[in-house]
Amino acid sequence: MTLPTDAAVVSFYGGLGEIGANMCAIEVDGRAVLVDVGVTFPDAEHHGIDLILPDWSDLLERGPEVVAVVLTHGHEDHIGALPFLLRDLPGLRVYSSKLTLGLLEAKLTEHPGTDVTMIEVEPGEKLSVDPFELEFVQVTHSIPDCLAVAVHTPHGTILHSGDFRLDQTPIDGRVTDLPHLAQLGDHGVDLLLVDSTNADVPGFVPSEMTVGTSLQKVFEQAEGRVVMTTFASHVHRVQQAIDAATALGRKICFVGRSMVRNMPIARDLGYLRYDDADIIDIAETSGYDPRRVLVICTGSQGEPYAALSLMAAGAHRHVKLVEGDTVVMASSQIPGNEAAISRAINGLVRQGARVVHRREEAVHVSGHAAAEELKFFHNIIRPSSVVPVHGEYRHLVAHAQLAVATGTAPDQVIVCSDGDRVVLRDGRLTKGEGFNSGRTFVDGLGVGDVGSAVLRDRGRLSSEGVCIAVLRLDSKARLDGDPQILQQGLIYEAEHAHLLTEAAQSLGEDVRALGASSEDVVRRTVYESLSRFWREQLGRKPVVVPVLMEI
């Protein structure tokens, strides 16, 4: 597919109609700037999958020159897929803030040999990457050092907000730079790509500062050990927890690989403050009075093998929760994770812990602007056209309505999905020709080798079980002896072993009736015979695996 050369074209590879996997490309005349390259995480439907990446095969097939990658901030759904993209496009130049590049550098240690050039930028900085000029704007989010980016092109200015909120009292004092945004608006923003996660939430999001007060209250009331779970990138939340805990004489323990990795990075770069004397190792916690310990851990989304889930199951090697312990859920629920989080909370309560979450105390606030903040944002910038990004489809539609309400012409507000393109030409935005956009699954060491067909098989294996038929055939594919039937996850064999005998007899009759045939015919008969048997006997549809041995 050839893109128009007389316009700026934006292609959406991820983050539209979903939470996560954020990635888009802004292209002019065969050159491209990528904004964010993130992952999303699997749910129960993705049996055994580790990570989900955007599908950038369209980008590779068309082959524009990628002159820059801009990372708006350091969350996994914005940077997590970059190591995999660098396998396909080595040598990219990546522009971002100090903390984001620090987190990326640590991540790349898990991908040795990666070829990348990292360029640190500051809010307010402008730089030229022909034919684009990039201008960076400070915004506030739930992680420090976040940026919006204005991409000035020969065909107009495209402003990507990144993730943001309008917190007027952020922990680090670095508010969203409204004067800078207003200046961009005065010069003219032709297209605004803007965070939509909370577009359907009325009002304003409370300041992160309010969380510190709530944490202090909860820690003071705690009778025993305190465990707080949050995202490993939520440096400001961790800082407030450390401040509240040390004021009460509690020692701090970081648990979880990403938490242990990220906190020293944040401190070394000046975004987190704590004394080494206040930090203890997880193995040391048993030697301390529980009333003098705070464990800060990962697992806020109920991930099966994360620290919090192991504690909830009573299976954590070092932390055994008891009556009087308190667990603080200082994070939001990512859509799709509700059931896993609920299971974790129930497990924690069974262990005797008191569980504190946002409905009970203000231990979490969102990092994304709510509806009134978004209206304010639009009124400051006054964009000529808008594409809502970063959100489920309902969020995008709600945001489109806000954009129209604040003055953008309805025909210049376009709700897109992954695989869509928009074209900015002569100050007007139109929908372009789309492209095939799927998902790339990371499973163990494999990237992209597992597709929907494999996931369907895994789903059937998990829900219906497997039936294996072993048959001995002579040189003319005639059955020799009786078939052997094995199963896993289909029946409780101690009580229903007779069904295996009956299945073998039924299959044997069907195969013998073939007489001399071929292995392909026998294999098809095994599928049909056993599928019919189990459907009639149990109403189930197991995966049938024929094993044919020639004698």
Side-chain angles (χ1 to χ4, degrees):
M1 179 186 300
T2 302
L3 301 189
T5 58
D6 61 342
V9 180
V10 185
S11 304
F12 298 103
Y13 294 94
L16 278 70
E18 62 184 343
I19 301 295
N22 298 285
M23 178 180 176
C24 73
I26 300 171
E27 296 182 55
V28 171
D29 198 17
R31 292 190 163 192
V33 170
L34 305 184
V35 181
D36 292 329
V37 189
V39 299
T40 191
F41 294 96
D43 56 27
E45 298 177 357
H46 298 104
H47 309 278
I49 297 300
D50 298 318
L51 290 173
I52 303 175
L53 315 178
D55 177 5
W56 47 70
S57 56
D58 164 78
L59 190 70
L60 300 179
E61 291 166 4
R62 291 188 300 102
E65 181 186 356
V66 178
V67 296
V69 177
V70 175
L71 303 178
T72 59
H73 63 283
H75 279 152
E76 285 292 305
D77 59 335
H78 293 258
I79 71 170
L82 185 56
F84 300 95
L85 178 65
L86 289 168
R87 297 182 184 183
D88 295 327
L89 295 173
L92 294 177
R93 297 172 66 84
V94 178
Y95 298 83
S96 196
S97 61
K98 180 167 65 174
L99 178 61
T100 303
L101 293 180
L103 296 174
L104 175 62
E105 185 175 14
K107 176 175 289 294
L108 290 177
T109 61
E110 301 173 4
H111 301 263
T114 303
D115 181 11
V116 62
T117 301
M118 292 187 277
I119 299 100
E120 182 183 328
V121 296
E122 294 285 344
E125 184 175 347
K126 297 180 182 179
L127 54 90
S128 178
V129 284
D130 186 50
F132 307 96
E133 183 180 65
L134 306 179
E135 183 174 354
F136 299 94
V137 184
Q138 178 176 289
V139 294
T140 303
H141 183 41
S142 57
I143 182 175
D145 240 7
C146 298
L147 298 168
V149 59
V151 182
H152 302 287
T153 81
H155 306 285
T157 294
I158 300 171
L159 176 61
H160 194 302
S161 72
D163 291 0
F164 79 97
R165 62 180 175 187
L166 302 183
D167 189 343
Q168 301 305 299
T169 56
I171 300 303
D172 58 3
R174 302 178 65 178
V175 298
T176 295
D177 193 343
L178 298 178
H180 192 170
L181 292 169
Q183 185 181 53
L184 286 168
D186 290 341
H187 285 94
V189 171
D190 298 282
L191 170 59
L192 176 63
L193 310 174
V194 58
D195 179 10
S196 306
T197 308
N198 277 345
D200 60 348
V201 176
F204 295 82
V205 174
S207 172
E208 176 68 24
M209 195 76 74
T210 61
V211 175
T213 303
S214 297
L215 291 178
Q216 186 172 5
K217 174 185 173 183
V218 171
F219 292 2
E220 287 175 347
Q221 294 174 344
E223 299 174 1
R225 174 173 38 206
V226 176
V227 175
M228 187 187 88
T229 181
T230 189
F231 297 115
S233 57
H234 209 326
V235 176
H236 290 156
R237 188 71 45 81
V238 172
Q239 183 67 70
Q240 294 189 94
I242 289 174
D243 292 343
T246 54
L248 296 169
R250 288 182 181 264
K251 297 293 185 181
I252 317 298
C253 174
F254 299 127
V255 178
R257 186 178 66 167
S258 55
M259 188 71 71
V260 171
R261 180 188 67 194
N262 288 357
M263 293 309 105
I265 293 171
R267 186 179 72 158
D268 292 344
L269 295 176
Y271 297 95
L272 189 66
R273 304 179 312 278
Y274 59 81
D275 293 331
D276 287 335
D278 292 323
I279 307 299
I280 60 175
D281 186 82
I282 184 65
E284 300 178 75
T285 56
S286 59
Y288 283 82
D289 182 339
R291 294 170 298 178
R292 294 291 176 262
V293 174
L294 167 66
V295 176
I296 303 178
C297 70
T298 56
S300 63
Q301 301 306 301
E303 301 94 322
Y305 299 108
L308 190 72
S309 293
L310 294 175
M311 294 177 199
H316 197 281
R317 187 167 48 166
H318 298 290
V319 180
K320 303 295 182 183
L321 297 175
V322 297
E323 194 80 30
D325 288 345
T326 299
V327 178
V328 181
M329 309 288 290
S331 59
S332 60
Q333 291 187 358
I334 294 176
N337 293 342
E338 294 87 354
I341 295 170
S342 180
R343 282 195 299 271
I345 291 175
N346 280 316
L348 295 167
V349 174
R350 287 193 185 96
Q351 301 298 321
R354 174 199 175 198
V355 178
V356 179
H357 47 73
R358 64 189 300 183
R359 290 191 296 273
E360 183 178 343
E361 296 283 353
V363 294
H364 173 73
V365 295
S366 176
H368 302 270
E372 293 304 315
E373 294 167 86
L374 291 172
K375 291 179 185 177
F376 194 72
F377 192 82
H378 282 267
N379 282 327
I380 284 176
I381 296 169
R382 307 180 305 282
S384 299
S385 60
V386 174
V387 174
V389 299
H390 196 298
E392 297 179 349
Y393 199 77
R394 61 190 173 95
H395 302 138
L396 306 182
V397 171
H399 199 164
Q401 294 168 352
L402 295 178
V404 172
T406 51
T408 305
D411 68 337
Q412 290 299 286
V413 179
I414 300 180
V415 177
C416 293
S417 299
D418 295 343
D420 284 344
R421 285 193 174 97
V422 293
V423 179
L424 182 63
R425 179 189 289 113
D426 299 327
R428 298 286 296 174
L429 189 71
T430 56
K431 195 85 168 278
E433 184 179 353
F435 58 96
N436 290 327
S437 174
R439 284 289 170 264
T440 300
F441 299 123
V442 178
D443 186 9
L445 298 177
V447 180
D449 59 335
V450 172
S452 57
V454 173
L455 289 184
R456 282 196 299 271
D457 284 347
R458 290 181 180 183
R460 286 185 63 199
L461 286 169
S462 68
S463 62
E464 303 284 355
V466 61
C467 176
I468 302 171
V470 182
L471 295 86
R472 294 184 302 168
L473 305 178
D474 65 16
S475 59
K476 294 185 178 181
R478 291 175 298 203
L479 182 62
D480 182 79
D482 294 324
Q484 182 181 5
I485 304 295
L486 308 171
Q487 66 83 35
Q488 194 70 40
L490 177 57
I491 60 173
Y492 181 47
E493 213 162 304
E495 296 180 0
H496 301 287
H498 66 280
L499 288 175
L500 297 182
T501 302
E502 293 173 16
Q505 292 172 348
S506 175
L507 176 61
E509 293 172 2
D510 290 341
V511 174
R512 288 191 181 94
L514 297 174
S517 60
S518 68
E519 287 193 3
D520 287 342
V521 172
V522 172
R523 187 174 286 107
R524 185 168 63 250
T525 300
V526 172
Y527 283 128
E528 294 172 351
S529 177
L530 289 177
S531 295
R532 181 177 63 251
F533 177 85
W534 292 116
R535 184 173 59 251
E536 292 173 351
Q537 293 295 321
L538 300 174
R540 296 175 189 168
K541 301 177 182 179
V543 175
V544 175
V545 180
V547 178
L548 308 183
M549 299 186 299
E550 185 177 344
I551 59 172

